Amino acid sequence: MHLVYPAVLAALLFCVGLYGVLARRNAILVLMSVELMLNAVNLNLVAFDVWLRDTLHAGQALTLFTIAIAAAEIGIGLSIVLLVYRNRCTSDIDRLRDLADVPTAADRMPGTTDNAPDVADGKRLTRGEAAA
Amino acid sequence: MTLAAGQGFLSPTGVEIAFLLVGVATLGAAVVTVTTRQLVHAALWLVVALGGLAVEYLLLTAEFIAWVQVLIYVGSVVVLLLFGLMLTKAPIGRSPDADSGNRWAALAVALAAAATLVWVVVDAFRSTWVDLDKATAGAEAGAGSTRVTGEFLFRHWVLPFEALSVLLLAALVGAIVLSRRDREDPKAGGGTGPTSGRSGRRPGVRGTGAGTGPRTPRLGTAGTGVTAPRTSAPEAPAPRASAGRTPAGARGDAAGQAPPPAAPQPPAPPRPTPR
């Protein structure tokens, strides 16, 4: 068998998973896309193990380890998603923006932070002027 | 490799034809998985994609990995995902907001990555052939059978295997700890003796719930201060604040106080998780 077939299939599966991770909104769908990416890597490992045929069978052993780690990852990830859903009533990734760097009212007021450097103060001042 | 002269793209073998057909089906199922708007159907199409990958492993003479794939992925991971979809109250029908706003940027990134990867892979392995016949004829049981897998796994890879068992134990404990936190609440509200230390820890949690109080107006003013799509931010902290207060209200109810009016909508019932 030509090695290009499994390698191209793995690359395309990885990119499909990449699209899913970037474009999906629900956290569980993102986890599904991560599973697709991990499976693409597994297919690559198996194909190259069959091609190289080393005595240690490193590709197949690493595939088994990757499957086990993916199972652990999906368990932890789903429990984290459930915990987020219990606390926030949503599992949409777009709404989990508490750590996002959005300008708030405290940032727009100049002089609230005294120990900030002058450049940041000037930037905040201009931003406050633009908002005012 | 040695048979490279006798093989080519125009003379595919039966294994190659089967690999291509199953690969097209797998890729189509994966595309449907990441593009469908019905969340449960996405999980079911993921079953098709992972099963197709198991068939690909079988065609690549990795039998044990194929059955491990069927057992773990199709058997447990998809079931876990379906449980997660049910516990987060995923809508059954078509949900119009399954894709976020940056899907075209995501499509561009994915297409660029696919073009780059396929070009590199085809250019690198243009004249490389996998000799499946020799792989099966080398040992009488095959290169990927259970016997060979057991031998190399427990002879050469025993230490990573044990480390992996420790990692699985850590993941198990972590999942239990993460999902048990709300189930201890009625026990802590009952004030039994051995959990009094935990009920002493509970007011700290309630304090953080009250700490969301000053955060809520800040987000509200931030939402009114920025552009038009952020106007949904003042509604957004309202269920968040009720979500933060509802366990405290449940505990207050257990302590004898009257429940707040926001209590009839708990964020999620403290159901036992599938583990």
Side-chain angles (χ1 to χ4, degrees):
Chain A
M1 185 190 295
H2 208 287
L3 187 61
V4 163
Y5 295 150
V8 167
L9 178 61
L12 290 178
L13 271 179
F14 186 86
C15 293
V16 168
L18 182 66
Y19 168 77
V21 167
L22 291 178
R24 284 301 203 179
R25 181 171 283 175
N26 197 334
I28 297 180
L29 293 177
V30 172
L31 283 177
M32 287 185 200
S33 306
V34 169
E35 292 301 312
L36 276 179
M37 294 167 79
L38 284 168
N39 274 285
V41 174
N42 283 344
L43 180 62
N44 240 340
L45 285 172
V46 169
F48 279 86
D49 179 78
V50 173
W51 173 44
L52 292 173
R53 284 203 308 269
D54 56 342
T55 55
L56 288 182
H57 283 281
Q60 295 196 12
L62 194 56
T63 304
L64 289 174
F65 294 158
T66 310
I67 288 174
I69 289 173
E73 172 256 337
I74 203 73
I76 293 289
L78 273 180
S79 56
I80 289 174
V81 169
L82 286 183
L83 203 58
V84 166
Y85 180 77
R86 276 182 202 154
N87 288 329
R88 302 291 177 96
C89 282
T90 181
S91 60
D92 290 348
I93 294 179
D94 289 353
R95 294 193 194 171
L96 305 176
R97 297 182 63 87
D98 279 354
L99 292 179
D101 193 9
V102 291
T104 58
D107 286 338
R108 265 188 236 110
M109 266 186 274
T112 53
T113 59
D114 293 328
N115 51 358
D118 293 332
V119 180
D121 269 340
K123 199 181 294 178
R124 283 206 185 102
L125 192 61
T126 56
R127 195 187 294 165
E129 285 172 359
Chain B
M1 292 174 286
T2 58
L3 299 176
Q7 292 183 351
F9 281 112
L10 296 180
S11 65
T13 60
V15 177
E16 284 182 340
I17 293 173
F19 193 94
L20 273 182
L21 291 179
V22 178
V24 167
T26 302
L27 196 62
V31 168
V32 175
T33 299
V34 298
T35 54
T36 181
R37 294 186 181 277
Q38 307 192 21
L39 306 183
V40 182
H41 286 192
L44 297 180
W45 279 106
L46 188 66
V47 172
V48 178
L50 299 178
L53 270 173
V55 177
E56 305 277 40
Y57 293 156
L58 272 183
L59 290 175
L60 284 172
T61 71
E63 306 167 15
F64 183 71
I65 291 177
W67 299 123
V68 164
Q69 168 96 3
V70 170
L71 280 177
I72 292 185
Y73 273 112
V74 183
S76 70
V77 166
V78 176
V79 173
L80 268 182
L81 286 170
L82 282 173
F83 265 103
L85 281 178
M86 281 191 289
L87 288 177
T88 56
K89 291 190 179 60
I92 298 298
R94 300 169 64 87
S95 59
D97 56 349
D99 291 332
S100 64
N102 53 0
R103 66 177 291 188
W104 296 111
L107 188 63
V109 168
L111 283 180
T116 308
L117 280 177
V118 167
W119 175 57
V120 167
V121 159
V122 169
D123 197 24
F125 304 107
R126 189 185 296 144
S127 61
T128 307
W129 272 265
V130 176
D131 198 358
L132 289 178
D133 294 333
K134 196 181 288 183
T136 55
E140 63 270 12
S145 67
T146 309
R147 181 182 160 191
V148 179
T149 305
E151 282 181 357
F152 72 74
L153 196 62
F154 291 108
R155 181 172 296 166
H156 303 290
W157 298 94
V158 114
L159 200 59
F161 191 81
E162 297 300 325
L164 190 70
S165 64
V166 176
L167 180 124
L168 276 179
L169 177 68
L172 185 72
V173 172
I176 289 174
V177 165
L178 280 178
S179 56
R180 252 185 83 89
R181 190 166 292 164
D182 279 345
R183 292 179 60 194
E184 291 175 353
D185 280 346
K187 225 185 291 179
T192 60
T195 60
S196 61
R198 293 189 179 277
S199 66
R201 193 167 58 102
R202 282 298 146 190
V205 178
R206 197 185 302 173
T208 60
T212 60
R215 191 177 57 179
T216 307
R218 186 175 65 84
L219 282 177
T221 54
T224 54
V226 207
T227 59
R230 297 287 299 169
T231 54
S232 65
E235 292 95 7
R240 184 180 304 170
S242 71
R245 276 185 207 126
T246 304
R251 282 189 294 272
D253 191 14
Q257 298 174 357
Q265 284 186 350
R271 262 179 226 170
T273 55
R275 283 165 302 278

